[in-house]
Amino acid sequence: MASKDHRTATIQQYKAKTFDLLIIGGGVTGAGIALDAASRGLSVGLVEMNDFASGTSSKSTKLIHGGLRYLKQFEIALVREVGRERAIVHKLCPHLVVPEKMLLPLYEDGTFGKFSTAVGLWVYDFLADVAEDDKRKMLSKEETIALEPLLNPDKLNGGGFYAEYRTDDARLTIEIIKTAMQFGAAVLNYTKANDFLYDDKGKVCGLQLQDMLTGEKFVAKAKKVVSAAGPWVDEVRKKDGQLGKKRLFLSKGVHIVVPHEKLPVKNSIYFDVEDGRMVFAIPRLDVTYVGTTDTAYEGDKNHVTADEKDVQYLLDACNKMFPTVQLTKKDLSSSWAGLRPLIFEEEKTASEMSRKDEFFFSDNGLISIAGGKLTGYRKMAERTVDVVIEKMKEEGNNPVVKDCFTDQIPLGAWPIKDINDVAATRRSITKTLSGHITGAEIMAEYLVSNYGKQAVDIVKNAGQEGLSHRSLLQAEIDFTIEKELVFLPLDFINRRSGRLYFNLDQTLPYIDFMLDYFADRFGWTTAFKSEQAVVVQSAIKDAQVF
Ligand code: FAD
């Protein structure tokens, strides 16, 4: 069903029924809860005020990782949980959660010493139950330089080489949403929870909602409401009048993107910065991205951008670690900035605060969840739905539900089997595209790493009018409108395709075409089309002005 028809039908459903569970927030946390709850047998609604993954869940470092640095902070349980989750999420979505070796160069006076790293990485592998072939290797200085010739050789002692996974956070979120829909979850993007509905005992029993595309207001009823509003959790708790002492601390994290030839690292690298922090440099398609910063943030949550200081910090870090490169602002192709919703702890800096997830329970029955990591979304969801079911039972509702089995539910409409299947799909698409477009191999990698097997359909549809970059783009847009609840150009350019950050130069020549195409498909007025042109241009400016 196309996005528009799905929306009309879903809004009707919201007006007519009482859900077991309504979720506020369509980031990875809300998406995970929707899938867990719907697959266990609850009737579920989820509302997102903007587009899915438009909050923190499209602004992360895009790693499914165990969090080596948390070991240093002795967060053993967190490392064990997220470490083990990596292999599970990889199995559920092998095209989107891809094994990636990480190189950790070890320097005299660096964060990690050689002996402590050997032990730490061993513990890391052990806690995360890493397969024998993927276990960490400790490298000599010569082996480290051979693996990454760009590294600064001064005071280099050696390196650690260990297993992580990379992903695309926004695509992971949308695949979880789509899978939740297959289990009957009724999801709406561009629908804001303006306020709560209360029953005669003062307990939350639904939401006052607003369709952000039409302005229409309506209400939806539910036995339980969970807020997974990320950085907006406190704002939502305030609407319920129950802020209390425990609150969020928002930390801003910035990433910069450069063409791969400007920072041609051969591997993902996790390296020291002079102030004692560590940052990642990660090659992806034909770019390398570097991040992140970690600074307290109190500005506008709806408009977070990289500033000059953030960018300089990351450039300095790169230029020190890779001295032959010497990047300047002119080399950047884009950037993004996001907010970590951390649980505030007295007397700790942003970097020191725990990444653990926590619940907030209001006297009125609202359950909020915040903190945590992309990597741990499935376990966070399981814990949340366990709590929801327990509360429903306490309140005299006895839902008939299954135990959590999301570790057995492949993500996406047409799941891909394993990494061999991913490679075979990529090869077959490269073959189809070769001779028709330039850069067939990189295009095949882009399509398969974003859409998995669904890329086969996109290429087939594009081929109907002759394969070209433009026909592929149109087929890709069609796919996201038909199957992924895309309404506005930025949904596609940013959250569904990642083009805004990773492929901006090649996308810019097609912006007018995209605006025309959306206007045509959705029957926009000229005024609305002009409005959308401004929205797209300002997102491009935010990504490009440093
Ligand atoms: P969000 O994604 O922000 O979702 C909350 C949603 O709620 C938003 O989309 C918002 O629009 C919506 N909302 C708010 N109010 C309302 C309302 N009233 N009505 C309707 N909708 C509403 N984790 C990892 O595992 N690996 C990493 O590599 C990693 N790197 C990171 C790097 C950075 C710089 C940052 C900032 C975080 C990183 N994280 C990483 C953490 C991870 O990204 C977050 O934990 C996760 O994305 C949070 O998801 P969420 O769904 O809780 O929040």
Side-chain angles (χ1 to χ4, degrees), residues 233-467:
V233 153
D234 281 354
E235 215 164 272
V236 173
R237 289 168 65 224
K238 226 186 263 173
K239 288 182 203 287
D240 182 42
Q242 298 260 320
L243 201 48
K245 276 200 178 143
K246 191 160 90 172
R247 61 188 193 280
L248 288 188
F249 176 89
L250 301 183
S251 150
K252 175 172 145 184
V254 166
H255 291 81
I256 54 172
V257 185
V258 295
H260 186 251
E261 74 245 25
K262 299 277 182 192
L263 182 54
V265 286
K266 293 183 176 171
N267 299 279
S268 287
I269 303 182
Y270 187 34
F271 62 94
D272 287 299
V273 183
E274 261 179 336
D275 63 2
R277 293 189 57 255
M278 297 194 67
V279 301
F280 292 98
I282 300 175
R284 171 172 160 154
L285 297 172
D286 45 9
V287 301
T288 303
Y289 64 94
V290 179
T292 167
T293 58
D294 199 346
T295 50
Y297 185 81
E298 289 180 352
D300 180 359
K301 292 190 275 295
N302 296 304
H303 190 221
V304 190
T305 54
D307 62 30
E308 191 149 358
K309 214 166 137 201
D310 300 319
V311 170
Q312 201 53 52
Y313 174 89
L314 294 172
L315 289 175
D316 290 347
C318 287
N319 293 340
K320 178 132 201 291
M321 188 52 54
F322 312 108
T324 52
V325 166
Q326 293 310 311
L327 296 173
T328 70
K329 273 202 285 187
K330 287 200 188 103
D331 296 317
L332 305 193
S333 47
S334 70
S335 71
W336 69 86
L339 298 177
R340 299 174 186 84
L342 307 177
I343 314 294
F344 178 74
E345 295 170 274
E346 287 294 348
E347 290 174 13
K348 286 200 174 172
T349 65
S351 288
E352 286 164 352
M353 264 179 236
S354 170
R355 269 55 179 167
K356 279 200 301 271
D357 53 282
E358 275 194 35
F359 291 110
F360 300 75
F361 297 104
S362 95
D363 296 341
N364 305 333
L366 173 69
I367 302 165
S368 305
I369 177 147
K373 310 260 317 152
L374 186 72
T375 309
Y377 83 86
R378 202 187 62 80
K379 292 302 279 182
M380 273 170 84
E382 178 181 356
R383 278 194 286 278
T384 309
V385 177
D386 283 347
V387 166
V388 167
I389 292 166
E390 199 184 293
K391 298 277 176 199
M392 284 172 85
K393 285 185 182 157
E394 278 169 24
E395 287 159 14
N397 295 305
N398 269 322
V400 181
V401 286
K402 300 183 185 115
D403 288 340
C404 168
F405 66 106
T406 49
D407 60 342
Q408 304 298 325
I409 304 175
L411 298 177
W414 191 358
I416 217 157
K417 274 204 294 284
D418 51 29
I419 42 173
N420 297 328
D421 198 7
V422 175
T425 311
R426 204 185 300 128
R427 276 196 304 275
S428 141
I429 291 185
T430 306
K431 205 167 147 204
T432 310
L433 298 182
S434 294
H436 296 282
I437 63 160
T438 51
E441 205 172 327
I442 205 125
M443 177 57 96
E445 188 175 345
Y446 158 81
L447 287 171
V448 176
S449 61
N450 271 347
Y451 303 103
K453 273 251 161 89
Q454 303 160 121
V456 174
D457 266 358
I458 294 175
V459 174
K460 199 166 127 209
N461 291 337
Q464 285 173 3
E465 289 177 23
L467 280 171

Side-chain angles (χ1 to χ4, degrees), residues 42 104 142 150 174 186 190 209 340 373 424 450 503-504 509:
L42 296 180
L104 174 72
E142 291 69 32
L150 288 179
I174 193 69
Y190 294 104
L209 299 169
R340 299 174 186 84
K373 310 260 317 152
N450 271 347
N503 201 2
L504 190 53

